[in-house]
């Protein structure tokens, strides 16, 4: 059975997962914004990559037609929580730091 939701519910679910992931990440003591200069900063924060990972997990679940309960709202909350926990505790193990990430450009 193919079950689909409308575009407004889809946007609402993305908004829910963004808000939940930011709130949980701030609760886990991640900074809101990365270090300055932000262009060359590889530090993890509540804005990036937490929200991007949360939206990606939710998009993956929606692409395989897995909505769970309440038209995906409960799934959006769970993906926000999982993404924040992943970025806080597992992000550096899955994506280790690059050797020249300090911005010194080998000088």
């Amino acid at each position: 059975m193919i079950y689909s939701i409308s575009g407004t519910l889809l946007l609402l679910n993305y908004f829910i997962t963004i808000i939940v992931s930011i709130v949980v990440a701030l609760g886990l003591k991640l900074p809101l914004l990365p270090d300055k200069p932000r262009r060359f900063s590889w530090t993890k924060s509540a804005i990036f990559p937490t929200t991007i990972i949360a939206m990606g997990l939710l998009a993956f679940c929606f692409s395989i037609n897995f909505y769970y309960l309440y038209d995906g709202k409960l799934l959006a909350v769970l993906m926000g929580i999982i993404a924040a926990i992943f970025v806080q505790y597992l992000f550096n193990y899955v994506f280790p730091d690059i050797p020249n990430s300090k911005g010194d450009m080998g000088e």
Side-chain angles (χ1 to χ4, degrees), residues 53-101:
I53 291 173
M55 290 189 324
L57 290 173
L58 189 64
F60 176 74
C61 291
F62 285 166
S63 69
I64 60 172
N65 290 328
F66 181 69
Y67 295 102
Y68 201 51
L69 296 173
Y70 306 114
D71 291 329
K73 289 177 185 58
L74 183 60
L75 186 65
V77 170
L78 289 175
M79 290 301 128
I81 293 170
I82 289 170
I85 291 172
F86 172 78
V87 169
Q88 176 66 27
Y89 297 112
L90 298 174
F91 187 77
N92 288 334
Y93 294 113
V94 175
F95 305 108
D97 289 336
I98 56 176
N100 196 10
S101 65

Side-chain angles (χ1 to χ4, degrees), residues 21-54:
S21 66
I22 290 173
V23 168
V24 173
L26 289 175
L28 292 172
K29 305 292 189 228
L30 279 172
L32 182 63
L33 295 172
D35 294 338
K36 288 185 179 180
R38 290 184 182 94
R39 174 186 254 183
F40 298 111
S41 177
W42 292 102
T43 58
K44 54 190 179 180
S45 66
I47 299 295
F48 181 81
T50 309
T51 57
I52 307 302
I53 291 173

